């Protein structure tokens, strides 16, 4: 036995504890099965949000009026822009952010917070105001993509949930936008559910569509957000049958000749020949999921054409990312399917967005800008407004960050025609603007993203490394004449 | 206006559509708020699982007895081992994998599948058998970490959900194990909720604890899995107050002197001095969340000691990963807090596990091994058994993959004392073994991981790049004498 083993108290015996009896005999299942998920989202929260609340309730500062801003300090290395996604999901989660008996009992039994705090939480509803960039909008370092305003108590509690949603969804939408950009007019389909945590997969499908994807394999995302869903068969279906021909015949009989047949289980050339024999020249598509996709697509296209299946499309999948998509631009590919790279943000699985207190009322109720000085994390105090400036050709030139006296910033609207303001009201006094939620919100966000991406300078869509597509420029209102 | 803008039909007008009226006026919120999550997990599924089912129900192959295996073809570059996590969550999800009215209505309205398939789904319950590596176990390329056996129909439907859970949870547990290994006897705390999708964050906290983490900031994970939760205050709490001193005094008054004060909002040296003045030398800990943590920890330790706060611990956070943790081994750090790197798998955000049909009954009901030949994805047909071989010093030497005639493999048990079998029954005829679910399952898994990691050859815990810690060796039963 090793020292390490001894140090964790594990006997190295013939019968291995884990397969036999680690801490007792199997117990019967609980009467009610454990929920895999719970509709309440209030405990999807870092413990420190609640301990801060407790201390602030005790000293009275919990009721100070506050402004929190969500922004990212930098884009992932080499990226030209980010794409905001998740806002609609934040708004959908808001009515579920309530502390009911189960949550309160847990917090009490584990002494997470005191009685006063439990009483506050029992009555918690967000009654503040949220402004932000519209979902699907592009963002740059420092862009205040969400601004949450209310008492410290009600705003601080939302930090973890808001960042969880925006950091993941925006990472996926940002990757999606690069992929659809690289694909040009060819549709890109989302098939990454198996490579993302199961509920994250729904968010990923939604974010992909905001980033320009044409559909998703994920049925739950289809149901919740009205997305087009896609998918016909995997290799298992071919292997299940006694021959590839029987598998194809079964699929065509059930799904019609317009289906997509997966032709690479054994030999691609034979698979394509069999597919057209079985389905006829009206076969919808063949899918290639392995090998040198570019070369293979060319061979398969020639084979399909020679068989008379000129309208049969070629779908390629298998470890695609934006670079692989771009490298297939000259290949006779009709549709791209993307999985792993998309749902993991293509190398940037989270956006690094932060939720920072930028202003709070002082003891006399006057809103004061605040900022920390921590090394590498220094922040700019005070509420921001934001706008994008356009040139005469319609392309974006600059991101404008407006700072200055709070009232002036809050009321600021651009005076010149070349500036488009970027902050829109999303929640007013606790009421959610329904334009941004549900299937309707996703459709809006996707349209919005298409428009704003098209306005970026052309270099913004290149995949090569580079700086943000447009610079961020500060505008201090107190530097201006009245 | 640019061509690109014209091509998507977007008018570039003074009033920007997204902020005004993209596709109509705001509509009132739906009477019932959209659920942020739904307890049913059956539609967290790729569409093709259902279309395959439809075709297989039509041709009768849906009822063929099948064996599917989950494995990964390779470990992330340079990793020595993977850590299996998520098994308990798969088992917990199983009773929720049901198609109720809402799911069936969606599938019917969108013509995803035909009536026969809807009827099958309405009655779907998994009645098969699942074996697998015990949660917390280490795995290597090809290790059959989960084996699902039943009719094609009932087993194929679980593919997407099982892979979603195991791919993410195991990615996190694998990263966690490297971090806790690097931390030695110092505790590591999970604080990554804001950098993972909100429900994934719960899974990440759970997986982190399986990988050896001492606690999590995520309250929902604490509630569902009985994990220890941690956290006291963020920079916002300091900024909320009129001075750092007032913030510290408030926190100590509410949470006691044993709390952890965050001392780097303004100036660390002043922050530490104020912390000890306010809390006294019984202060529990100070947290450093920015700057050169190694150098800073040394300075803060000396300052704390000189102030008489010799028992006050130093907690460091801020972009730690296993390498940063290891580099702080000589610094006077007491506790590590890890966020982003952990919940994103420290560079490997998904495990690449696949769910492959390895055997199925033929038309006469005899189980036959099956395998595809796709380029780069060729698989080994037939059910596997697995065992780990140990040397006389108690350390693992090899991973044994057993193949051969199906009955012989299914019934195989090691005949020699140096082999430990790795497949344990988890679900038998649809009934879940309760040892592996809920808080009890997590505790078991964490203990199990501690034991099996300690048995790996010492080189396995190095962070430098290398091959899998032990080789995988094939054992073909039909090569052996009877």
């Amino acid at each position: 036995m090793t020292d390490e083993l001894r140090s964790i108290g594990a006997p190295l015996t013939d019968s291995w504890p884990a397969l036999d009896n680690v801490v007792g005999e199997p117990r019967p299942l609980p009467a009610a099965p454990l929920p895999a998920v719970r509709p309440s989202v209030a405990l999807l929260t870092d413990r420190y949000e609640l301990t801060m609340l407790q201390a602030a309730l005790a000293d009275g500062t919990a009721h100070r009026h506050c402004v929190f801003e969500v922004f990212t300090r930098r884009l992932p290395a080499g990226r030209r822009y980010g794409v905001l996604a998740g806002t609609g999901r934040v708004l959908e989660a808001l009515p579920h952010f309530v502390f009911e008996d189960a949550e309160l009992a847990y917090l009490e039994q584990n002494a997470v917070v005191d009685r006063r705090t439990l009483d506050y939480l029992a009555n918690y509803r967000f009654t503040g105001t949220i402004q932000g960039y519209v979902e699907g909008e592009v963002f740059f370092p420092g862009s205040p993509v969400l601004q949450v305003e209310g008492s410290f108590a009600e705003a601080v509690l939302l930090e973890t949930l808001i960042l969880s949603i925006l950091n993941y969804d925006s990472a996926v939408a940002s990757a999606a936008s690069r992929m659809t950009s690289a694909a040009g007019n060819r549709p890109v389909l989302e098939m990454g559910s198996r490579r993302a945590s199961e509920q994250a997969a729904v968010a990923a499908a939604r974010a992909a569509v905001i980033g320009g994807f044409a559909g998703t394999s994920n049925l739950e995302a289809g149901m919740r957000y009205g997305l087009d869903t896609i998918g016909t068969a995997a290799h298992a279906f071919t292997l299940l049958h006694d021959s590839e021909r029987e598998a194809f015949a079964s699929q065509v009989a059930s799904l019609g000749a317009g289906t997509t047949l997966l032709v690479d289980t054994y030999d691609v050339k034979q698979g394509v020949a069999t597919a057209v024999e079985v389905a006829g020249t009206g076969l919808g598509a063949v899918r290639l999921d392995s090998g040198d996709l570019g070369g293979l697509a060319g061979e398969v296209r020639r084979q399909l054409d020679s068989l008379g299946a000129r309208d049969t499309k070629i779908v390629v999948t298998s470890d695609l990312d934006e670079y692989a998509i771009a490298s297939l631009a000259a290949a006779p590919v009709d549709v791209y399917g993307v999985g792993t790279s998309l749902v993991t943000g293509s190398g940037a699985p989270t956006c690094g967005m932060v939720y920072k207190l930028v202003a709070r009322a002082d003891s006399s109720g006057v809103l004061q800008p605040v900022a920390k000085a921590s090394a590498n994390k220094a922040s700019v105090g005070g509420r921001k407004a934001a706008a994008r400036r356009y040139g005469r050709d319609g392309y974006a030139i600059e991101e404008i960050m407006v700072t200055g006296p709070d009232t002036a910033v809050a009321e600021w609207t651009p005076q010149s025609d070349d500036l488009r303001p970027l902050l829109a009201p999303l929640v007013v006094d606790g009421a959610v603007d329904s334009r941004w939620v549900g299937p309707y919100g996703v459709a809006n966000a996707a349209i919005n993203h298409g428009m704003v991406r098209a306005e970026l300078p052309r270099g913004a869509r290149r995949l090569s490394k580079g700086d943000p597509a447009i610079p961020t420029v500060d505008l201090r209102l107190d530097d201006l004449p009245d």
Side-chain angles (χ1 to χ4, degrees), chain A residues 105-146:
Chain A
Y106 167 74
L107 296 173
E108 182 171 17
Q109 282 158 17
N110 290 273
V112 175
V113 288
D114 61 14
R115 167 56 49 195
R116 185 206 322 240
T117 309
L118 292 172
D119 291 343
Y120 177 87
L121 295 176
N123 296 305
Y124 178 82
R125 297 290 183 281
F126 181 74
T127 63
T129 290
I130 301 180
Q131 294 197 95
Y133 282 35
V134 167
E135 195 165 4
E137 182 59 87
V138 298
F139 65 83
F140 302 95
S143 295
V145 295
L146 208 73

Side-chain angles (χ1 to χ4, degrees), chain A residues 63-102:
Chain A
H63 308 295
R64 287 184 166 188
H65 190 79
C66 285
V67 181
F68 286 85
E69 282 180 357
V70 177
F71 60 91
T72 181
R73 294 193 176 92
R74 63 195 71 84
L75 299 176
R79 294 271 181 100
R80 309 295 176 84
Y81 63 94
V83 179
L84 179 66
T87 309
R89 295 209 309 117
V90 168
L91 302 186
E92 290 163 15
L94 216 47
H96 300 275
F97 199 97
V98 290
F99 295 81
E100 295 185 333
D101 291 349

Side-chain angles (χ1 to χ4, degrees), chain A residues 162-385:
Chain A
I162 285 178
L163 288 179
S164 283
I165 294 175
L166 295 186
N167 268 325
Y168 181 69
D169 292 20
S170 299
V172 174
S174 298
S177 179
R178 286 161 64 83
M179 293 172 186
T180 57
S181 223
N185 291 323
R186 296 173 178 172
V188 191
L189 304 173
E190 192 281 312
M191 353 182 116
S193 293
R194 62 193 56 195
R195 303 298 169 86
S197 192
E198 74 278 19
Q199 296 285 342
V202 179
R206 179 184 181 282
V209 169
I210 291 172
F213 273 52
T216 174
S217 62
N218 189 289
L219 289 169
E220 180 74 20
M223 176 169 165
R224 283 194 218 165
Y225 294 108
L227 311 182
D228 290 332
T229 62
I230 48 87
T232 58
H235 293 112
F237 187 75
T238 302
L239 296 173
L240 172 67
H241 288 80
D242 298 333
S243 70
E244 189 175 55
R245 181 179 301 270
E246 286 176 58
F248 287 176
S250 168
Q251 187 179 327
V252 168
S254 186
L255 302 175
T259 192
T260 299
L261 293 173
L262 178 58
V263 293
D264 69 343
T265 305
Y266 305 112
D267 174 79
V268 172
K269 191 167 183 183
Q270 182 58 54
V272 171
T274 305
V276 176
E277 279 173 37
V278 167
T281 54
L283 174 62
V286 294
R287 178 159 77 96
L288 303 172
D289 185 44
S290 55
D292 165 24
L293 297 173
L296 213 49
E299 291 170 26
V300 168
R301 181 73 270 159
R302 284 189 293 277
Q303 187 183 359
L304 286 169
D305 289 350
S306 75
L307 294 170
R310 297 189 169 276
D311 293 332
T312 299
K313 294 194 186 316
I314 298 176
V315 183
V316 296
T317 56
S318 184
D319 291 335
L320 297 183
D321 61 12
E322 60 266 47
Y323 304 103
I325 289 171
S327 76
L328 290 168
V333 165
D334 298 289
V335 179
Y336 301 96
V338 183
T340 306
S341 289
L342 177 79
V343 301
T344 59
S346 200
T350 184
C351 272
M353 285 183 186
V354 295
Y355 185 91
K356 292 297 164 194
L357 181 65
V358 296
R360 49 87 186 151
D362 61 19
S363 50
S364 58
V366 177
L367 210 59
Q368 302 289 353
V370 293
K372 63 180 173 177
S374 314
N376 307 123
K377 293 189 175 181
S379 51
V380 178
R383 181 203 306 268
K384 282 103 197 150

